[in-house]
Amino acid sequence: METLAITGGRVLHPDGRVTESDVLVDRESGTIEAIGPDLEGDETLDADGGLVMPGLVNAHTHVAMSLLRGYADDKELDAWLQEDIWPIEAELTPEDVEVGAELGVLEMIKSGTTTFADMYFHVDRIADVVDRAGVRARLGHGIVTVGKDEEDARADVEEGIEVATTLDGAADGRIRTAFMPHSLTTVIEELLAEGLELAAAHDVPVHLHANETEDEVEPIVDERGERPIEYAAELGALGDGNFFAHGVHLDDAEIGLLAETDTAVVHCPASNMKLASGIAPVQRLHDAGVTVGLGTDGPASNNDLDLFDEMRDAAMVGKLGADDASAVPAGDVVEMATAGGAEAVGLPGGRVEPGAAADLAVVDLDAPHLTPVHNVVSHLAYAARGSDVRHTVCDGDVLMRDREVTTLDAEAVKARAAEHAAALVDRVGE
Ligand SMILES: [Zn+2]
């Protein structure tokens, strides 16, 4: 057994307890072997003055949109997509997507994220980056049929199924897939129903954007006389293993349906604030027993992939939305960014305990903004930053040691991304 010992630090346990312990990882199985005092391994990672916590789970993003970071801001969702994002996305080549994904994954490793769920296109290129970088992901092809003729629309649905069935289990099992219609309003009913039936036949989970803005809810209510989650239920889109992004505008009956069917919700507070989409009822979802994960959404509507930022945003806006300072407390947001996210996207990780996947982040607590340490969980939610992460480990492999990413050449990735982004903006301007 080849082992990795993470020594000298504190450990955040699944029940929120923090102890001074070492962590021993079995690198072959990629799992945690033991937690306790004085553990020794073939290789050592120094966690002195730090906290070993679960690797963070970014449960909803479009990672290749890192190339569009800062390209268009300060607009509502509809105008932002139609005037800026969709025209420039139409120019993205497979290589652009790969370069953007590398940049995004680099940023995630540097901020302690080991796992993400991603909806985009040219997914084979994103899968290649996941494989090389050593992270874990649930990937899918984002399907949009509006504005397409019948043939193109059908081809898009077919690609969604093709990606979900062929890439599943890639990168030594670190890649799993999902069927990912963009949303309930951007895929026509007939094709949505057909695709969902095929996904079920292939036993593939479903991920889509739902109830993100009022403008997305109203047309469904006007046309069908029912709420979006009721429509999704009729189509068979709800169920254990399926997870919906946003869930900003939900009524009690919809929250009840999500809870009854074990459909998870991924809260994306920064994107919801930036696009003025609204405040998701996270405390109500939690009280109803819905599994809630945390996502950054794409880096063009955030504008970063730092889940520490997202935890802070979730706690802050959750209190504002509930008009209650005790709502969405620190422990809950840390749970959402770790075990909740892992459960939502159906991937291992999210817990530091023997037998669990060795997906870990070591956070350096020796910083002015983290002093004194009265309560580690409070610091993770309110005071820590992605740049405080010292080491990142996924599936038993060290992806970042002392802030040096080991699987990607950070300088080359940044240079390539800047070059591709500039060429992209030139093309769209022509
Ligand atoms: Zn999204």
Side-chain angles (χ1 to χ4, degrees):
M1 184 172 77
E2 199 188 333
T3 54
L4 169 73
I6 307 171
T7 61
R10 301 181 220 192
V11 169
L12 176 64
H13 298 265
D15 60 4
R17 270 181 320 120
V18 175
T19 60
E20 287 188 13
S21 307
D22 298 339
V23 177
L24 187 68
V25 168
D26 172 4
R27 298 196 52 189
E28 279 157 44
S29 66
T31 57
I32 297 168
E33 184 71 19
I35 300 169
D38 306 321
L39 297 173
E40 283 177 23
D42 303 318
E43 196 189 330
T44 303
L45 212 47
D46 176 21
D48 190 26
L51 173 78
V52 185
M53 68 175 294
L56 297 162
V57 179
N58 189 345
H60 175 75
T61 188
H62 316 277
V63 73
M65 289 180 84
S66 57
L67 288 193
L68 314 183
R69 187 197 323 264
Y71 171 70
D73 303 302
D74 310 326
K75 285 186 174 182
E76 293 211 359
L77 179 63
D78 237 20
W80 180 73
L81 285 175
Q82 293 187 29
E83 293 166 17
D84 304 297
I85 297 303
W86 286 343
I88 198 163
E89 280 186 331
E91 294 289 333
L92 282 171
T93 64
E95 202 184 354
D96 288 332
V97 169
E98 181 167 339
V99 168
E102 272 185 337
L103 178 64
V105 169
L106 174 68
E107 185 185 352
M108 289 198 281
I109 294 172
K110 290 213 83 155
S111 50
T113 294
T114 53
T115 297
F116 67 107
D118 198 272
M119 176 194 288
Y120 218 54
F121 44 94
H122 303 309
V123 182
D124 55 327
R125 296 301 193 102
I126 301 169
D128 185 51
V129 173
V130 169
D131 189 11
R132 284 189 278 121
V135 289
R136 213 184 276 286
R138 189 170 287 279
L139 305 177
H141 170 77
I143 300 157
V144 175
T145 67
V146 289
K148 288 181 181 162
D149 64 26
E150 163 93 26
E151 197 183 330
D152 285 353
R154 205 164 278 280
D156 212 25
V157 175
E158 279 163 14
E159 187 169 354
I161 293 291
E162 164 91 10
V163 162
T165 50
T166 55
L167 286 176
D168 198 34
D172 300 323
R174 281 183 284 107
I175 293 177
R176 301 302 310 270
T177 57
F179 180 65
M180 299 194 184
H182 178 267
S183 75
L184 298 167
T185 52
T186 48
V187 180
I188 61 164
E189 183 176 1
E190 184 198 349
L191 292 178
L192 191 52
E194 277 181 35
L196 289 166
E197 213 167 288
L198 279 170
H202 288 287
D203 208 17
V204 169
V206 177
H207 177 49
L208 47 83
H209 296 96
N211 302 49
E212 180 175 359
T213 63
E214 282 286 12
D215 290 347
E216 186 195 328
V217 172
E218 270 166 25
I220 294 176
V221 172
D222 288 350
E223 195 184 319
R224 324 186 65 90
E226 62 184 351
R227 302 274 307 175
I229 300 301
E230 292 166 331
Y231 172 45
E234 270 174 30
L235 287 166
L238 304 187
D240 192 8
N242 297 353
F243 57 111
F244 292 0
H246 298 299
V248 173
H249 302 278
L250 293 166
D251 71 9
D252 286 341
E254 290 179 292
I255 292 174
L257 274 172
L258 293 166
E260 266 167 44
T261 56
D262 285 324
T263 308
V265 170
V266 182
H267 179 36
C268 303
S271 173
N272 297 156
M273 287 192 280
K274 185 163 185 265
L275 296 164
S277 303
I279 302 176
V282 172
Q283 190 60 51
R284 280 162 57 214
L285 285 164
H286 195 264
D287 293 345
V290 176
T291 299
V292 182
L294 204 55
T296 57
D297 210 351
S301 64
N302 190 299
N303 288 357
D304 62 46
L305 294 164
D306 183 347
L307 274 178
F308 287 92
D309 271 6
E310 219 61 37
M311 284 195 270
R312 190 168 191 268
D313 288 343
M316 299 292 186
V317 78
K319 295 170 197 315
L320 201 58
D323 192 22
D324 176 1
S326 71
V328 196
D332 285 7
V333 294
V334 173
E335 165 96 12
M336 280 158 56
T338 55
E343 193 184 330
V345 305
L347 290 172
R351 306 167 76 83
V352 188
E353 63 184 3
D359 295 6
L360 305 163
V362 179
V363 180
D364 205 340
L365 297 171
D366 182 25
H369 62 276
L370 299 176
T371 304
V373 185
H374 293 300
N375 180 332
V376 168
V377 172
S378 163
H379 276 4
L380 296 178
Y382 294 116
R385 305 165 188 157
S387 54
D388 295 319
V389 176
R390 191 194 299 172
H391 314 298
T392 303
V393 174
C394 183
D395 200 28
D397 290 327
V398 180
L399 309 187
M400 180 171 75
R401 179 190 285 271
D402 292 317
R403 305 256 347 119
E404 278 299 309
V405 175
T406 60
T407 51
L408 295 169
D409 177 344
E411 291 310 314
V413 166
K414 284 189 287 178
R416 261 200 304 274
E419 200 180 296
H420 276 255
L424 180 64
V425 170
D426 278 354
R427 288 203 301 280
V428 83
E430 273 165 13

